[in-house]
């Protein structure tokens, strides 16, 4: 037998496409077509109201229904979503966190109706709330009850749905928020540890190794693909060690790191978007090349990541990348190709050491839950450094800050400008549908089930899953489930992390900018004050954070309240704080509904301030926003933040009639 | 955009809270024209114009960075609004030495209903000023006290030098988190003055908060102030200990001779501003601190601090 070939090629990983939009019906059609194309698992993208626990007709859901994912308000929606898909054979990954217990409840209720035994259900609920606080933003409850929900789900599924992965500890989103490889490993492992510590007391001792074995990870792979591969090996090593040393797990089956991947999207550009395909391929190599640290499941972003939502064809192209890797290349025929590599060994050692040190810092803060403020600040700081390196040209991004001359991209031609746009009529339809659902169900049964849920939630020693499942069966809605828990648990605003970001290094450009800010401020009578606001349910905070930090470094007074603000709260802050300019950031596609609302509310409140907007704004929408009264629009191609700042200062000088005086 | 300071001042006097943001814009304005309008505004809300001291309860909240001051305010605001008391919060954050800019983060932590005009939150940067307040904080407090039931100042997290906040508050609450041995040491060593109310936050985190509370109470007892309240609170929902805190704040205020305290504060502030602006030499020209204090004590007690400052300047000029 040869040492350098496997007797049998390996089976490929599970291939998925992160998909879902509009209604359950449309998403179901999309899933079935994707499966036909050779996709081997499902990955459900929910819309933001579903992820944060609001029904389509809730005030905060406005503009967001069915936009970036599918709207699932009740058991009926879930039944439609999964129609015609054999649940005893499918492996379904659901990107769901704050409302994970509820969506699992709906999934189980539907399986039950379809006669599928819960013992046969396979899939994953993401359910990692710490990274929601740190990066992703779809949290609903304060830290302690959030951890309890995770604990209850794990303790429940380990026997009731034994093949389910109740949590996918995520490092993916940390990298998307700027994390270095060391931070990715350290913070995700610290999170896993916090979760395991929480569960340990709730399950019998002999069950615990199985619990450990059910924890899976969701990781990222960036463009430095050699180091990224090393990162996964390092994670595996540390995971095994954690299992053995902290939790006394000995069975090698339970100690093995299991992970799924979505490769890096943060580095995908708006400029020369076709280059993104090459990036995606290289990143896919990072998680497939070495057999000892190969992904169990992969989903890839598309070439048009930075333009807007992918169309089915764009996603098909990305699925084909996976299929070519798995079925055309010889990748799966060999044992681990890095075994014995000095380079790989050295890289792994470096990362292990770095991650250990950083985990110790988190532990000093009292563990991942207590260290959320600390970790968030570190992420904002890392991202600040990353962006500064790109701005200065030190970190090359082909087509964006290097080799920028280009032919026009034919991919962006065509009526749809190369992206998918969700029909705004979807929201209305979903609202009507949920109203109909409510009027047709057994109202008394729902009320009783929610009452039961509230009682369970009040008692920390009771597992909320049985009451959740009962509410799902009775026909309660997503918003009702979450409202019942909000009532008991209260709500929470995660830290913004911006105050602790280091000052940008002094440079000529920044010095000039500061002088300009000083001059304009003197002419105005007080320092330029800017409000950076994030309206709606959008959790993409990177842009807003970096703008806020740079505005401070340019010498402005900055008010930034974090994500998920109502237009009313933004307008009120603008007035009360007496700001000179309002900067809004929206990446989740709800700008067409929400920006005009903010403008209107500002008017109503009597705030006569210029408004600038940044985010994922397709060219056609940019024109509409400017016509509606927005002064400037910035998108990812405007990666030079100091230049944006200079522009904003000029705008302020101009609007307040001090341009000449401050010149 | 000429804003009429006197009109804004009169509106505040009539308890029109909607006039507050514009009033604060003026008070923060450092241009000569702005200063002039601000003086007119402040004249309209001076004790003389109000016919006595403003009825508001002025509360200073101070303590080390991250102790939980803003979160505590969130819980307090909720309770006060539930009792229909109008609240203005002046939150002060540090400025970057390097750029002069600032990130004003307290507002984010104070939950409130955006449609409610009985709550105002205003963030200001401390600039180069030490001591936990921003340059316009004192004037802002004076203006808001005419229109709101409660005016709360959250200082920069400074820890031990809350002397400045004393000048703008009837009641000073020092907020510390469990395990902050520093405060205990500062108190014992007499570096830190005994606050009116001492608050230990994050009681939800268990035993350490209770231990901290006990240690602090012990230290206060040893310092001869056993009646200074020490309270443990948790600000995360559902909050605990906040009602008791409100009672303690009110109890302190009810024991206070408000007129005497504020009069003294105005005189101290006028003197501090005068010295900051013109230097110790100018103070010597007035015959030294004692003489200046005696001079201020002879002035009309209903004048506000800036008017008193004006008197000092006049005297300095005439004696020069
Ligand atoms: C990073 C990222 C994430 C991270 C966010 C981390 C964080 N804390 O910010 C994570 C992984 C958590 C994430 C999650 C999701 N994401 Co995402 N994400 C991205 C990604 C890859 C990059 C965005 C980014 O941070 N760029 C870096 C920052 C610095 O750039 P920027 O925000 O664009 O800001 C620049 C300018 O736009 C401008 N600007 C921005 N704001 C402001 C404000 C002011 C005042 C000014 C002056 C300028 C300005 O200046 C900045 C400087 O260059 C984009 C695609 C892309 N490549 O752009 C998708 C993208 C935005 N995400 C998308 C989606 C759908 C999601 C999800 C909703 C998916 C789902 N169904 O669950 C989730 C949920 C997020 C939520 N809660 O809302 C979609 C949105 C689709 C749309 N608009 O139609 C995108 C476009 C990807 C795609 N093509 O599908 N995402
Ligand atoms: N567990 C717990 N955490 C709290 C409590 N109060 C505040 N915190 C947390 O402590 C951190 C700091 O809280 P802030 O309210 O911003 O503290 P601060 O004193 O205003 O901070 P600065 O203004 O930056 O000096 C945040 O992460 C809060 O969520 C509490 O009662 N319990
Ligand atoms: Mg604060």
């Amino acid at each position: 037998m040869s040492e350098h070939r496997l007797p049998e090629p390996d089976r490929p990983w599970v291939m998925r496409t992160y998909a879902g939009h509009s209604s359950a019906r449309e998403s179901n059609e999309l899933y079935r077509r994707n499966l036909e194309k050779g996709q081997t698992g499902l990955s459900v993208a929910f819309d933001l109201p579903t992820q944060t626990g609001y029904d389509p007709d809730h005030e905060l859901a406005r503009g967001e229904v069915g936009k970036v994912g599918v709207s699932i308000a009740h058991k009926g929606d879930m039944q439609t979503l999964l129609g015609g898909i054999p649940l005893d054979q499918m492996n379904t990954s659901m990107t769901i966190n704050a409302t994970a217990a509820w969506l699992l409840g709906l999934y189980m209720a539907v399986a039950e109706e379809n006669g599928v035994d819960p013992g046969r259900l396979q899939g994953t609920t993401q359910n990692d709330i710490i990274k929601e606080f740190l990066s992703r933003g779809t949290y609903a409850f304060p830290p302690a009850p959030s951890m309890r929900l995770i604990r209850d789900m794990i303790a429940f599924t380990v026997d009731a749905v034994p093949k389910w992965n109740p949590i996918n500890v995520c490092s993916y989103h940390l990298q998307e928020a700027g994390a270095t490889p060391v931070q990715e490993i350290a913070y995700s492992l610290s999170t896993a540890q916090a979760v395991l510590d929480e569960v340990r007391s709730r399950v019998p001792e002999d069950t615990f190794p199985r619990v450990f074995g059910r924890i899976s990870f969701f990781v990222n792979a960036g463009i430095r693909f050699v180091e990224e591969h090393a990162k996964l090996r390092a994670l595996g090593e540390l995971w095994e060690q954690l299992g053995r040393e902290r939790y006394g797990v000995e069975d090698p089956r339970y100690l093995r790191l299991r992970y799924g991947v979505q490769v890096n999207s943060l580095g995908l550009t708006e400029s020369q978007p076709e280059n993104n395909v090459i990036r995606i391929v290289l990143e896919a190599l990072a998680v497939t090349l070495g057999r000892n640290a190969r992904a169990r499941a992969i989903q890839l972003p598309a070439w048009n990541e930075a333009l807007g939502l992918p169309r089915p064809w764009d996603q098909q192209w990305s699925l084909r990348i996976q299929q070519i890797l798995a079925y055309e290349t010889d990748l799966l025929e060999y044992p681990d190709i890095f075994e014995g590599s000095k380079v790989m060994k050295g890289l792994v050692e470096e990362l292990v050491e770095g991650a250990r040190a950083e985990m110790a810092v988190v532990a000093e803060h009292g563990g991942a839950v207590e260290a959320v403020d600390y970790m968030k600040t570190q992420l904002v700081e890392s991202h600040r450094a990353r962006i500064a390196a790109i701005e200065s040209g030190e970190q090359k991004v082909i087509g964006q800050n290097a080799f920028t001359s280009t032919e026009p991209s034919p991919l962006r031609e065509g009526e749809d400008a190369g992206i998918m746009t969700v029909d705004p009529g979807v929201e209305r339809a979903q609202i009507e549908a949920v109203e109909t659902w409510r009027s047709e169900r057994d109202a008394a049964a729902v009320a009783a089930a929610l009452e039961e849920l509230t009682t369970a939630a009040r008692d920390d020693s009771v597992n909320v899953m049985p009451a959740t499942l009962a509410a799902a069966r009775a026909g309660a809605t997503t918003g009702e489930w979450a409202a019942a828990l909000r009532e008991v648990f209260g709500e929470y605003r995660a830290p913004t992390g911006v105050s602790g970001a280091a000052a940008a290094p002094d440079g000529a450009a920044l010095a000039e900018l500061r002088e300009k800010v000083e001059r304009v401020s003197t002419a105005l009578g007080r320092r330029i004050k800017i409000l950076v606001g994030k309206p709606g349910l959008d959790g993409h905070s990177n842009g807003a954070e970096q703008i806020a930090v740079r505005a401070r470094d340019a010498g402005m007074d900055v008010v930034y309240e974090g994500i998920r603000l109502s237009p009313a709260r933004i307008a009120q802050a603008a007035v009360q704080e007496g700001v000179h300019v309002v900067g809004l950031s929206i990446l989740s596609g709800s700008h067409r509904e929400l920006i005009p609302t903010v403008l209107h509310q500002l008017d109503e409140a009597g705030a006569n301030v210029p408004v600038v907007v940044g985010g994922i704004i397709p060219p056609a929408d940019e024109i509409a926003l400017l016509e509606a009264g927005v002064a400037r629009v910035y998108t990812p191609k405007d990666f030079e933040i100091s230049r944006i700042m200079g522009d904003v200062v000029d705008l302020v000088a101009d609007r307040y009639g001090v341009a000449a005086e401050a010149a | 955009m000429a804003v009429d300071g006197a009109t804004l001042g009169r509106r505040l006097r009539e308890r029109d809270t909607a006039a507050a943001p514009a009033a604060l814009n003026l008070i923060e304005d450092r241009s000569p024209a702005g200063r002039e309008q601000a003086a007119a505004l402040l004249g309209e809300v001076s004790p003389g114009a109000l016919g006595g001291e403003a009825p508001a309860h002025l509360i200073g909240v101070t303590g080390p960075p991250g102790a939980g001051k803003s979160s505590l305010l969130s819980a307090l605001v909720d309770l006060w609004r539930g009792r229909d008391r109008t609240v203005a919060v002046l939150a002060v954050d540090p400025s970057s030495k390097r750029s002069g800019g600032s990130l004003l983060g307290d507002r984010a932590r104070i939950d409130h209903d955006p449609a409610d005009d009985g709550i105002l939150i205003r963030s200001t940067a401390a600039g180069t000023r030490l001591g936990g307040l921003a340059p316009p904080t004192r004037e802002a407090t004076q203006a808001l006290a005419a229109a709101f039931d409660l005016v709360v100042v959250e200082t920069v997290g400074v820890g031990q030098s809350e002397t400045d906040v004393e000048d703008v508050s009837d009641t000073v609450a020092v907020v510390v988190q469990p395990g902050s041995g520093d405060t205990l040491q500062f108190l014992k060593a007499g570096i830190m003055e005994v606050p009116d109310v001492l608050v230990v936050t994050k009681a939800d985190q268990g035993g350490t908060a209770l231990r901290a509370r006990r240690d602090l109470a012990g230290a206060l007892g040893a310092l001869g102030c056993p009646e200074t309240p020490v309270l443990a609170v948790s600000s995360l929902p559902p909050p605990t200990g906040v009602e008791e805190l409100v009672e303690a704040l009110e109890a302190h205020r009810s024991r206070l001779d408000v007129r005497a305290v504020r009069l003294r504060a105005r005189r101290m502030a006028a003197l501090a501003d005068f010295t900051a602006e013109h230097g110790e030499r100018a103070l010597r020209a007035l015959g030294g601190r004692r003489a200046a204090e005696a001079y201020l004590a002879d002035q009309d007690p209903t004048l506000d601090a800036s008017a008193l400052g004006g008197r000092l300047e006049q005297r300095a000029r005439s004696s020069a």
Side-chain angles (χ1 to χ4, degrees), chain B residues 22-93:
Chain B
L24 293 169
N25 291 351
L26 257 192
I27 288 170
E28 289 173 10
D29 193 333
R30 297 286 111 185
S31 70
R35 292 312 298 154
E36 203 173 295
Q37 288 301 320
L41 186 158
L42 292 168
E44 293 294 332
V45 291
S46 67
L50 291 173
E53 297 298 332
H57 187 179
L58 310 182
I59 299 174
V61 174
T62 185
K69 300 180 288 296
S70 305
S71 308
L72 177 62
L73 278 178
S74 187
L76 282 170
V77 162
D78 189 53
L79 193 142
W80 279 324
R81 290 305 296 135
R83 295 180 181 175
D84 224 16
R85 318 233 15 220
T86 57
V87 191
V89 177
L90 289 168
V92 187
D93 271 311

Side-chain angles (χ1 to χ4, degrees), chain A residues 491 493 495 498 503 506 514 525-527 529 548 552-553 555-558 561 568-569 572-573 575-578, chain B residues 21 25 28-30 98-104 107-114 119-123 125 237:
Chain A
E491 298 194 56
R493 235 164 207 292
V498 293
D506 294 314
R514 278 180 194 160
R526 55 192 178 104
R527 193 168 282 284
K529 197 172 185 184
R552 176 202 64 187
D553 291 343
M556 301 185 207
D557 285 333
V558 186
E561 290 195 82
R569 180 150 171 179
Q572 182 215 32
V575 173
Q576 294 197 342
E577 295 291 352
Chain B
N25 291 351
E28 289 173 10
D29 193 333
R30 297 286 111 185
R98 207 107 159 241
S99 70
S102 66
L103 274 162
L104 306 168
R107 182 182 192 92
R109 290 243 167 257
I110 306 175
D111 218 20
H112 60 281
D113 172 6
I119 166 80
L120 173 104
I121 303 165
R122 175 78 163 207
S123 321

Side-chain angles (χ1 to χ4, degrees), chain A residues 39-333:
Chain A
Q39 183 178 305
T40 54
L42 283 185
S43 170
V44 183
F46 295 98
D47 70 358
L48 292 173
T50 306
Q51 294 191 49
T52 48
Y54 299 109
D55 283 338
D57 55 351
H58 193 282
E59 192 193 335
L60 293 173
R62 221 174 63 75
E64 316 271 15
V65 179
K67 267 281 155 63
V68 293
V70 58
S71 163
I72 299 292
H74 46 73
K75 184 180 63 169
D77 282 342
M78 188 62 107
Q79 184 64 267
T80 309
L81 184 75
L82 301 170
I85 296 169
L87 295 186
D88 49 350
Q89 290 158 42
M90 187 46 59
N91 190 321
T92 308
S93 164
M94 297 196 271
T95 300
I96 198 73
N97 294 276
T99 54
W102 173 245
L103 271 296
L104 176 62
L106 292 178
Y107 197 85
M108 291 179 68
V110 166
E112 197 172 83
E113 283 181 3
N114 299 359
V116 177
D117 184 83
R120 308 196 55 155
L121 295 180
Q122 284 187 67
T124 307
T125 33
Q126 193 167 76
N127 204 17
D128 167 359
I129 212 74
I130 305 258
K131 69 88 177 56
E132 294 296 324
F133 295 145
L134 294 179
S135 161
R136 198 168 169 281
T138 67
Y139 48 80
F141 315 113
S146 296
M147 292 301 284
R148 176 207 168 173
L149 284 175
I150 296 174
R151 178 193 81 201
D152 284 1
M153 274 180 80
I154 296 175
F156 173 82
T157 51
V158 72
D159 291 318
V161 205
K163 287 200 206 155
W164 196 263
N165 300 312
I167 179 172
N168 221 354
V169 178
C170 296
S171 82
Y172 169 79
H173 311 82
L174 306 179
Q175 179 172 136
E176 295 294 305
T180 62
V182 162
Q183 289 172 329
E184 242 189 89
I185 303 175
Y187 299 164
S188 57
L189 280 178
S190 299
T191 298
Q193 189 176 311
V195 168
L196 286 164
D197 286 355
E198 180 93 32
V199 186
R200 185 139 61 152
S201 60
R202 299 298 170 128
V203 296
E205 216 182 296
D206 55 341
T207 312
F208 193 73
R210 264 198 297 134
V211 166
F212 189 87
R214 290 290 354 139
I215 307 284
S216 57
F217 285 76
F218 183 57
V219 308
N220 206 327
I223 195 67
R224 293 169 53 80
F225 72 103
V226 179
E227 187 183 30
E228 289 292 82
H229 183 73
K231 177 186 79 187
L232 292 159
R233 297 173 92 93
L235 185 64
E237 215 169 90
L238 286 164
W239 179 240
E240 183 177 337
Q241 226 166 61
L242 189 74
R244 277 188 204 286
E245 288 168 15
R246 190 178 177 93
Y247 300 109
V249 179
E250 270 154 23
D251 189 332
R253 279 176 310 162
Y254 298 146
L255 285 168
R256 183 139 192 208
L257 174 76
R258 295 180 308 126
Y259 75 90
V261 190
Q262 152 108 8
V263 303
N264 181 285
S265 313
L266 182 62
L268 303 182
T269 56
E270 179 183 8
S271 320
Q272 301 183 23
E274 57 283 354
N275 299 348
N276 292 331
V277 173
I278 295 114
R279 298 189 175 103
I280 295 167
V281 172
L282 294 172
E283 290 163 352
L285 285 178
V287 295
T288 51
L289 265 182
R291 187 174 188 256
N292 288 357
R294 186 171 291 146
R296 298 289 178 110
I298 299 181
Q299 56 193 31
L300 300 176
W303 70 273
N304 54 356
E305 172 74 15
L307 307 183
L309 290 172
R311 301 159 300 182
W313 178 79
D314 308 315
Q315 296 201 314
Q316 174 185 317
W317 193 4
S318 288
L319 175 63
R320 297 299 182 237
I321 295 176
Q322 295 202 50
Q323 290 167 330
I324 290 170
L325 265 179
Y327 303 120
E328 286 191 20
T329 78
D330 52 352
L331 193 65
L332 295 172
E333 296 169 16

Side-chain angles (χ1 to χ4, degrees), chain B residues 103-161:
Chain B
L103 274 162
L104 306 168
D106 298 318
R107 182 182 192 92
R109 290 243 167 257
I110 306 175
D111 218 20
H112 60 281
D113 172 6
D116 178 5
D117 55 14
I119 166 80
L120 173 104
I121 303 165
R122 175 78 163 207
S123 321
T124 31
T128 51
R129 187 178 166 130
L130 302 174
L133 300 190
T137 305
R138 183 177 42 72
E139 292 178 357
T141 312
Q142 184 197 334
L144 296 172
F148 289 84
D149 296 333
L150 292 132
V151 180
V152 189
V153 175
E154 177 184 335
T155 70
V156 173
V158 279
Q160 43 167 314
S161 58

